[in-house]
Amino acid sequence: KSVTWITTSKPSCTDEGMKVKKCKNCGKILKIKKIKKSGHRLRTQIEKMPTSTKPGLTATYCLNPDCIYGYRKYYKTEKIAPLGHSYIAKTYKATCTAPKTIVTSCKNCKYKSTHKEGKALGHHWTKWKLNTDSMIKKKPKKTRICSRCGKKETIYVK
C-alpha cells in the first residue's frame, strides 16, 4: 500500500475535522473526507442548593477535552428558583407547668416559631397524707401527689 490517511484537523464539539488520503510516494492528495463534529458531552450539576428564600444555581460544562469552551469549564449556568417555606406545625398539649404550645417549622430551612396559647393547667393535688414511717424518726412528714403529672410534694409537719 502506497497510500495513507492523515488527519489534518481533528473534529471538536462544534467544528468538523478533516482527513486526507495521500500517496506515500509522491505526496499527492487523492481524496479529502470530512470528519463529523463530536458534539458536546454535557454534564449539569448543582453548584449551589436553593433555600426557602434564596435561589440556587446549576452549572453545565462539556466533558470533551477539545471543547472550545475548555475542558470542564462552565459555559452555561442557570438559577434554580427558591423552594419557598413549607411549614409543619406540632402542637403540645398544656401541662401542669406549661401552656398549650404550637411549634411551627419549615421543612426547607431552619426557620422555627413558637406560639403559646392559654395558661398552664396547674397541678391537681391529692389530699395530704401523713407518712407513718416519718413518725418513728420523730420528724413527721406529709405528702401529696399531682394526679396529672405524678409530681410529689413532701413537707415536714410542725
Side-chain angles (χ1 to χ4, degrees):
K1 284 189 173 182
S2 59
V3 293
T4 184
W5 280 99
I6 299 169
T7 301
T8 56
S9 62
K10 289 173 79 177
S12 69
C13 298
T14 55
D15 297 319
E16 292 177 330
M18 191 177 295
K19 64 182 180 177
V20 293
K21 187 176 186 181
K22 199 173 190 182
C23 175
K24 287 183 181 178
N25 298 328
C26 68
K28 184 178 179 186
I29 295 174
L30 305 171
K31 197 171 194 182
I32 298 173
K33 268 193 176 179
K34 289 182 180 178
I35 304 170
K36 278 197 226 175
K37 57 186 173 183
S38 60
H40 291 296
R41 283 189 3 214
L42 299 178
R43 171 163 294 153
T44 300
Q45 66 186 35
I46 295 175
E47 286 295 300
K48 183 178 170 190
M49 289 297 290
T51 66
S52 297
T53 56
K54 293 182 182 174
L57 187 70
T58 64
T60 303
Y61 57 89
C62 182
L63 294 172
N64 290 336
D66 59 352
C67 181
I68 61 167
Y69 296 109
Y71 179 62
R72 289 189 167 264
K73 293 277 192 313
Y74 301 122
Y75 76 93
K76 180 179 164 190
T77 57
E78 288 182 8
K79 281 188 176 182
I80 303 170
L83 301 172
H85 289 294
S86 180
Y87 295 108
I88 301 170
K90 186 162 183 171
T91 302
Y92 298 92
K93 293 179 181 177
T95 65
C96 296
T97 57
K100 176 180 174 182
T101 305
I102 301 163
V103 177
T104 304
S105 57
C106 176
K107 289 193 291 186
N108 300 329
C109 70
K110 294 177 182 178
Y111 173 80
K112 193 180 251 188
S113 76
T114 303
H115 173 72
K116 296 183 185 240
E117 288 182 2
K119 295 180 180 178
L121 300 174
H123 292 291
H124 191 260
W125 297 110
T126 60
K127 290 184 179 182
W128 288 103
K129 213 178 210 182
L130 193 60
N131 185 332
T132 52
D133 293 341
S134 68
M135 299 293 283
I136 298 167
K137 296 176 185 174
K138 297 190 180 171
K139 287 188 176 180
K141 295 183 207 174
K142 59 183 181 177
T143 304
R144 66 181 181 172
I145 300 170
C146 176
S147 60
R148 285 192 185 109
C149 69
K151 180 178 178 169
K152 269 187 182 176
E153 192 173 75
T154 302
I155 59 170
Y156 288 102
V157 179
K158 295 183 182 179

